[in-house]
């Protein structure tokens, strides 16, 4: 009914192992359970290892199991003879602790794949989990049973109100300025170091486990302190985002929400994207747009973008190309267009994919990597290597 998605398979394997462990009188919730589920998924879909679904699903469960196996947490969460108020408070504290543990473990993975991480999910779960467990699910079960006699309508209405309350909570948390934390793109090597540190913390059971905090903290700190890119260019060359002194600006102000969200998240910018044509240092026509920006060192850069497919007079275009440091176009630029630093056109982007440029450091990062053999990547003809003068 739900499809063989990674979390579904993991949950199914875990449920079967838990039932088998309980039948044999064994402690069923262990890291071996997580490892077995991971092996089953990787045996069937080995490519799932690099996907966010596999990584976040198993990281969250591993964090929960590792926390549950900790002697102090197990002692604190164990049932005992106490008053109702203290029992409820203890349950909320356990829920909050597990939520915070999951949020912390998922943060590096979310930053790598989505350039943002949640901050308030653990606190929202204090309301969402009891509401779902003790209100929504019992009402749905009761409504299904009474539907046999045609009497389920009132309980479906109550279920709807409970779900509306859950959605109100979700929208309220999402609207908070502290709901998510944005960061620039995390490098592959930095992500690998962070994941190794996480696994070290989660898999060890002795004091050695805390040594893994060092690479985790280094990875997260470097990600948040890294200089965000100054220029982002999509793989087709149509959309360009430029960092200005007051935020970010986009070349085509009619770009859809998807393009805007991708560019904002990749730049670690949480705000509205202005139009490049509206910037004070911009000089734009229907076909071309030239703008001046400054990098982190205070150096001025001149950027030139094409905005249409209209053939531009050679004398004017050659002059503008020579005056620009970087020229970006979604079509093939002529050979006589010679900017001071980079010429980015359709031919170059076919080999590199989207680009991010940090002007102060002169760094250029590409989507396509050397040796990338994915079948959906269009490879350039043999002998048309990347011009060294362009990157």
């Amino acid at each position: 009914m739900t499809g063989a998605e990674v979390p579904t398979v993991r949950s199914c394997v875990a449920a079967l192992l838990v039932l088998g462990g309980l039948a044999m009188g064994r402690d069923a919730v262990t890291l071996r359970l997580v490892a077995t589920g991971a092996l089953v998924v990787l045996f069937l879909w080995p490519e799932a290892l690099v996907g966010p679904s596999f990584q976040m699903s198993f990281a969250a469960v591993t964090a929960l199991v590792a926390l549950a196996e900790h002697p102090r947490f197990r002692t604190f969460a164990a049932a005992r003879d106490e008053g109702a108020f203290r029992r409820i408070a203890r349950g909320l504290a356990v829920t909050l602790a597990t939520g915070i543990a999951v949020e912390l473990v998922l943060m590096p993975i979310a930053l790598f794949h989505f350039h943002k991480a949640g901050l308030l999910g653990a606190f929202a779960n204090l309301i969402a989990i009891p509401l779902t467990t003790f209100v929504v699910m019992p009402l749905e079960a009761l409504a299904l049973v009474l539907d046999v006699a045609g009497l389920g309508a009132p309980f479906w209405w109550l279920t709807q109100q409970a779900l509306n309350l859950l959605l109100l909570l979700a929208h309220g948390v999402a609207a908070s300025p502290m709901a998510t934390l944005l960061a620039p793109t995390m490098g592959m090597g930095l992500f690998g170091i962070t994941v190794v540190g996480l696994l070290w913390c989660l898999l060890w059971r002795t004091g050695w486990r805390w040594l893994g905090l060092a690479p985790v903290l280094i990875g997260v700190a470097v990600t948040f302190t890294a200089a965000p890119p100054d220029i982002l260019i999509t793989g087709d060359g149509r959309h360009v985002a430029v960092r200005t002194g007051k935020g970010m600006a986009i070349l085509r102000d009619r770009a859809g929400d998807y393009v805007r969200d991708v560019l904002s998240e990749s730049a670690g910018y949480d705000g509205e994207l202005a139009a490049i044509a509206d910037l004070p240092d911009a000089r734009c026509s229907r076909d071309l747009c030239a703008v001046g920006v400054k990098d982190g060192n205070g150096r001025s850069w001149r950027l030139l973008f094409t905005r249409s497919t209209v053939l531009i007079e050679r004398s004017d275009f050659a002059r503008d190309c020579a005056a620009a440091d970087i020229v970006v176009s979604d079509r093939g630029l002529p050979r006589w267009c010679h900017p001071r630093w980079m010429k980015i056109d359709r031919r170059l982007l076919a080999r590199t994919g989207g680009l991010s440029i940090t002007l102060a450091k002169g760094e250029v990062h590409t989507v396509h990597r050397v040796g990338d053999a994915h079948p959906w990547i269009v490879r350039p003809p043999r002998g048309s290597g990347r011009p060294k003068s362009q990157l």
Side-chain angles (χ1 to χ4, degrees), residues 37-353:
L39 288 174
V40 171
V41 173
L42 292 177
F43 178 78
L44 297 174
W45 304 284
E47 71 279 4
L49 178 64
V50 298
S53 177
F54 178 91
Q55 295 173 8
M56 299 186 78
S57 175
F58 281 95
V61 176
T62 304
L64 291 174
V65 174
L67 182 63
E69 288 187 336
H70 196 281
R72 293 183 181 178
F73 182 82
R74 178 173 292 189
T75 301
F76 175 79
R80 63 198 69 190
D81 187 13
E82 58 185 355
F85 177 79
R86 296 193 64 179
R87 186 166 61 253
I88 294 174
R90 189 180 302 277
L92 292 176
V94 170
T95 302
L96 180 62
T98 55
I100 291 176
V102 171
E103 293 277 5
L104 292 176
V105 170
L106 294 185
M107 180 180 291
I109 302 175
L111 289 176
F112 176 75
H113 289 286
F114 309 112
H115 319 299
K116 60 182 178 180
L119 296 176
L120 301 179
F123 299 95
N125 283 340
L126 291 178
I127 300 175
I129 291 178
L131 179 62
T132 304
T133 304
F134 301 111
V135 179
V136 175
M137 298 303 293
L139 284 175
E140 286 184 346
L142 188 58
L144 287 171
V145 171
L146 292 177
D147 267 349
V148 177
L151 302 175
F155 295 94
W156 284 122
W157 182 86
L158 291 174
T159 303
Q160 181 183 6
Q161 304 312 309
L163 291 175
N164 288 338
L165 181 59
L166 193 63
L167 291 174
L168 181 64
L169 173 66
H171 290 305
V173 171
S176 171
M178 297 178 60
T180 56
L181 191 64
L182 292 178
T185 303
M186 177 186 286
M188 185 74 72
L190 198 61
F191 177 63
I193 293 173
T194 306
V195 169
V196 169
L198 281 176
L199 291 175
W200 186 279
C201 290
L202 295 175
L203 299 182
W204 278 90
R205 298 187 179 183
T206 64
W208 288 93
R209 72 191 316 165
W210 304 118
L211 293 177
L213 285 178
V216 173
L217 294 177
I218 290 173
V220 174
V222 171
T223 299
F224 284 111
T225 57
D230 297 297
I231 305 172
L232 291 168
I233 305 167
T234 59
D236 57 5
R238 284 184 51 81
H239 301 286
V240 181
V242 177
R243 189 173 298 276
T244 67
K246 298 182 178 179
M248 296 286 294
I250 192 170
L251 177 62
R252 303 179 188 274
D253 54 353
R254 295 185 180 180
D257 292 339
Y258 176 76
V259 172
R260 290 175 175 271
D261 290 343
V262 169
L263 292 174
S264 296
E265 292 172 3
S266 299
Y269 174 70
D270 187 14
E272 291 293 329
L273 295 176
I276 290 180
D278 296 336
L279 298 177
D281 296 333
R283 181 171 56 87
C284 298
S285 66
R286 196 175 76 174
D287 304 318
L288 292 174
C289 193
V291 62
V293 297
K294 290 186 177 182
D295 61 21
N297 297 329
R299 176 186 171 183
S300 297
W301 295 77
R302 195 70 178 169
L303 313 178
L304 179 66
F305 313 110
T306 63
R307 306 177 69 187
S308 71
T309 57
V310 175
L311 183 64
I312 304 171
E313 185 68 30
R314 174 170 178 169
S315 59
D316 296 334
F317 196 22
R319 182 189 66 244
D320 291 338
C321 281
D325 296 291
I326 301 174
V327 179
V328 181
S329 176
D330 60 344
R331 50 180 163 165
L333 291 172
R335 296 184 180 275
W336 44 259
C337 176
H338 297 293
R340 297 169 184 167
W341 185 36
M342 292 183 64
K343 181 169 70 173
I344 304 170
D345 62 358
R346 180 178 58 196
R347 289 185 288 269
L348 178 65
L349 292 171
R351 298 190 291 270
T352 64

